[in-house]
Amino acid sequence: MTMQQAPPRPEIDRVATGAFADLFHALSDATRLALLQHLAIGEHRVRDLVEHLALAQSTVSKHLACLRECGLVSVRTQGRASWFSLAEPELLARLLAGAEQLLDATGDRVTLCTHLMHPHSHAPASSSVGVS
């Protein structure tokens, strides 16, 4: 009788896994996703985003700073105005399209997942965040 060896386990790249977690954490906020949706249609100033999303200027600025630090958003200055845009629009569009397909395949199971609930969670964000 011969003993079968278990197949080797793949090595987990902890650095890459951490980077993925950081990226998804940056994308895990409904306000940041709404900002990205608005920027997907073109450049916006903070004041435009404040108006479109009906949020405080400080909230918009805080989330834009996070997205900018993560490399997802870039800014250009024109006079006294700062214009924000997506740093990698095609890649982000593909990522969000893939997420949409995954949500279509899993239905509302993500929304109902109790493991994702935490004290600061809000009602699930609607997938129909308006784009102005």
Side-chain angles (χ1 to χ4, degrees), residues 15-129:
V15 173
T17 301
F20 286 136
D22 291 343
L23 172 64
F24 286 116
H25 181 73
L27 297 172
S28 70
D29 184 271
T31 299
R32 288 193 290 269
L33 287 172
L35 287 168
L36 293 172
Q37 288 177 324
H38 279 283
L39 294 175
I41 61 172
E43 286 184 313
H44 283 74
R45 297 172 297 173
V46 171
R47 64 187 271 181
D48 300 327
L49 295 166
V50 165
E51 182 180 312
H52 293 306
L53 296 171
L55 295 171
Q57 183 271 328
S58 60
T59 300
V60 171
S61 293
K62 176 184 77 168
H63 287 294
L64 284 172
C66 173
L67 293 169
R68 189 170 171 213
E69 184 179 349
C70 293
L72 299 173
V73 169
S74 50
V75 63
R76 73 176 177 85
T77 305
Q78 182 178 4
R80 292 183 0 180
S82 295
W83 291 86
F84 291 85
S85 61
L86 298 179
E88 298 290 342
E90 293 82 16
L91 291 175
L92 190 58
R94 288 186 2 218
L95 176 64
L96 295 177
E100 188 172 329
Q101 291 173 346
L102 188 57
L103 286 172
D104 286 345
T106 60
D108 62 0
R109 289 173 51 195
V110 171
T111 303
L112 299 175
C113 182
T114 59
H115 290 88
L116 296 177
M117 301 298 172
H118 52 82
H120 301 291
S121 68
H122 303 282
S126 169
S127 60
S128 61
V129 173

